[in-house]
Amino acid sequence: ALARAHTLIGVYAPGDSDFRSADTAVSRALRLDDKLAGAHLTRAILHVFHDHDYRAAAVEFQRSIALDSSDASTRLFRSWYYLAVNQPDSAVTTIRLARRLDPNSSIIRAREGTVLYYTGRFGEAETALQRAIVADSGNMFARRQLAEAYAEDGQCDAARRVVGQIAPAPADQFENSFPVHVLVRCGDVAAGRNFTGALELRAAHGGYVDPYAIARVYAAIGDTTRMWSWLTRAVTSRAWDLWGLHSDPAFKAFRKDVRFQTLDARARAL
């Protein structure tokens, strides 16, 4: 449990100290008992979000499932793995299995929509996210993702309406980039410039910034020079959110560009 907590904190906190703490804790747990399904799951999560070693992640997910096939969270995180390795059908099948295993989980309801969004199934994503919000009106993960799905689907009035219902995510630049990305996609370039400008100022003063989140917004603005710069920085710094690079609709227009393909290959080889 301690290792899992450090892992999830590491996703939202600056730097990688919590990821290292999680790795230490899970290694200790597995030395004591290598049949702990949760420990193998935590190691798989570390491989997806920290060192991006997807082959090792596949092994750890399989071990966790062999020890406990009923844990919905294993299927939830495995769906991210499938997105990272460009297996969209497996990602959708896996997140839907997670929902069947835990039908009342707000986060799994929201992430079903996220997986559908990342696989380009925007109409299905909208339906899943609407259901998630009906079940839990305070589900901000679902609202942020629904706004992006609407924007990607060309429904800007609906997207802006949902953005107006979203509360900021404390200390989570990736999640906070979603409504900004939506506003830019729907014509409000100033919102994107304000977001990127504030983070670049923070970086200039030595503060932590999420380079991948900044690159997403620059992609929407159409400032490709800064997009490539921040995307390169994301790969160089092994940003946790690189798992989504290959399938993120924010970069769909650049997937055939040799620069994108080179960065994607580097991200997979980290």
Side-chain angles (χ1 to χ4, degrees):
L2 176 61
R4 185 86 56 85
H6 278 297
T7 302
L8 297 178
I9 291 170
V11 168
Y12 298 109
D16 64 354
S17 61
D18 282 291
F19 280 122
R20 290 197 300 270
S21 296
D23 186 55
T24 299
V26 76
S27 296
R28 185 183 304 118
L30 287 171
R31 281 197 300 270
L32 294 172
D33 185 352
D34 67 356
K35 291 183 172 56
L36 295 172
H40 286 290
L41 171 57
T42 300
R43 177 151 280 170
I45 295 170
L46 284 166
H47 287 315
V48 172
F49 292 126
H50 181 46
D51 59 32
H52 309 297
D53 185 342
Y54 300 121
R55 290 184 179 179
V59 172
E60 294 297 339
F61 278 123
Q62 194 57 47
R63 287 175 178 169
S64 182
I65 291 168
L67 291 164
D68 181 1
S69 61
S70 65
D71 185 1
S73 61
T74 305
R75 312 294 178 159
L76 165 65
F77 288 106
R78 199 183 198 192
S79 67
W80 299 144
Y81 155 77
Y82 281 127
L83 289 175
V85 298
N86 195 29
Q87 296 185 36
D89 291 342
S90 294
V92 172
T93 298
T94 301
I95 193 62
R96 286 178 168 164
L97 175 55
R99 180 167 55 82
R100 290 196 297 273
L101 289 169
D102 189 355
N104 297 317
S105 168
S106 291
I107 190 61
I108 289 175
R109 288 176 186 268
R111 291 321 189 196
E112 179 184 6
T114 300
V115 169
L116 290 164
Y117 170 80
Y118 271 81
T119 55
R121 295 158 69 163
F122 303 122
E124 291 178 70
E126 291 159 21
T127 299
L129 293 160
Q130 289 161 357
R131 285 198 304 258
I133 292 167
V134 168
D136 177 5
S137 62
N139 191 333
M140 290 299 143
F141 290 107
R143 290 189 186 276
R144 282 188 286 271
Q145 196 66 74
L146 180 59
E148 284 227 303
Y150 279 145
E152 199 68 36
D153 209 16
Q155 300 183 56
C156 278
D157 288 344
R160 282 189 288 261
R161 184 172 61 252
V162 175
V163 166
Q165 302 165 350
I166 295 172
D172 187 347
Q173 295 172 19
F174 180 64
E175 290 287 339
N176 285 332
S177 76
F178 281 30
V180 177
H181 185 258
V182 168
L183 292 173
V184 175
R185 285 295 305 274
C186 292
D188 187 356
V189 174
R193 292 291 185 189
N194 289 338
F195 178 83
T196 55
L199 291 184
E200 288 181 323
L201 182 62
R202 177 183 295 181
H205 287 85
Y208 168 79
V209 298
D210 183 340
Y212 186 88
I214 297 172
R216 292 185 93 244
V217 175
Y218 273 131
I221 291 172
D223 188 336
T224 55
T225 298
R226 287 185 170 87
M227 183 202 75
W228 291 121
S229 175
W230 282 101
L231 206 50
T232 300
R233 184 166 172 173
V235 172
T236 301
S237 65
R238 301 195 315 176
W240 74 268
D241 30 14
L242 279 175
W243 63 268
L245 177 61
H246 189 82
S247 53
D248 191 341
F251 301 111
K252 181 179 179 181
F254 305 99
R255 288 177 189 162
K256 293 183 180 180
D257 191 302
V258 66
R259 290 168 293 181
F260 182 87
Q261 293 170 0
T262 299
L263 286 172
D264 189 31
R266 281 181 57 195
R268 291 165 185 274
L270 289 173

